[in-house]
Amino acid sequence: MQNSKTTTAKSTIAMSALLLSVAMLAAGCHKTDENANAGMGPAQSAGKAVDDAGANAAAATREGAAKTEAAAEHAGDKAQDAAQRAGDNMNAAAEQSKEAAKDTGANVKEGAHEAGQNIKEGASNVTDAAGRGLEKAGQKMQDASK
């Protein structure tokens, strides 16, 4: 038979061991931020790493696609603006050419009118000179016949 002192000592030791075990389990179940993967096995850690890499790649892809779309839209706007400016410049150049052609036509008309006047004046001078020459010749013929 066991005496009561031995039973009490055994109970105290068993209780202490039980409390120590519970404390160790509680401490072991608590995961800190620094060691969040400590309770995971190698396969779980590898799976988490793959999942994290996939999530990061998807986020980077979405960000890259958004930047590419924004750049393409910006380039399209710039091209449209450039085409509009080119069209405006072509219209302005056509208008200037039209005005220059009108001015040139007016200058040609004025020059032709002046040339026509000069031709008339020259013909009149030739006619006058020819008439004077004929008069002199006629005078000489009359003087010679006397």
Side-chain angles (χ1 to χ4, degrees):
M1 295 211 182
Q2 294 183 348
N3 70 22
S4 70
K5 280 187 174 183
T6 311
T7 307
T8 307
K10 286 183 182 178
S11 293
T12 304
I13 292 174
M15 190 63 127
S16 296
L18 181 63
L19 288 176
L20 181 61
S21 299
V22 170
M24 287 175 53
L25 282 174
C29 289
H30 177 68
K31 294 180 183 176
T32 62
D33 289 337
E34 300 152 3
N35 203 7
N37 296 339
M40 287 197 265
Q44 287 174 319
S45 294
K48 182 176 181 340
V50 169
D51 290 346
D52 290 348
N56 290 340
T61 301
R62 281 192 296 275
E63 184 179 330
K67 286 180 180 179
T68 301
E69 183 179 349
E73 188 173 320
H74 181 71
D77 291 345
K78 289 290 185 182
Q80 188 174 6
D81 291 346
Q84 181 64 43
R85 282 193 307 274
D88 292 346
N89 290 342
M90 288 174 55
N91 289 338
E95 189 62 33
Q96 288 175 346
S97 295
K98 182 179 171 183
E99 290 299 319
K102 280 183 184 178
D103 291 346
T104 301
N107 290 341
V108 167
K109 184 177 178 182
E110 184 179 323
H113 180 69
E114 286 178 20
Q117 291 298 325
N118 291 340
I119 290 171
K120 276 185 180 179
E121 189 176 314
S124 178
N125 290 343
V126 168
T127 304
D128 288 346
R132 285 190 300 271
L134 285 174
E135 279 183 36
K136 283 183 184 179
Q139 187 69 33
K140 285 184 183 183
M141 286 170 64
Q142 284 180 357
D143 289 342
S145 66
K146 292 189 190 179

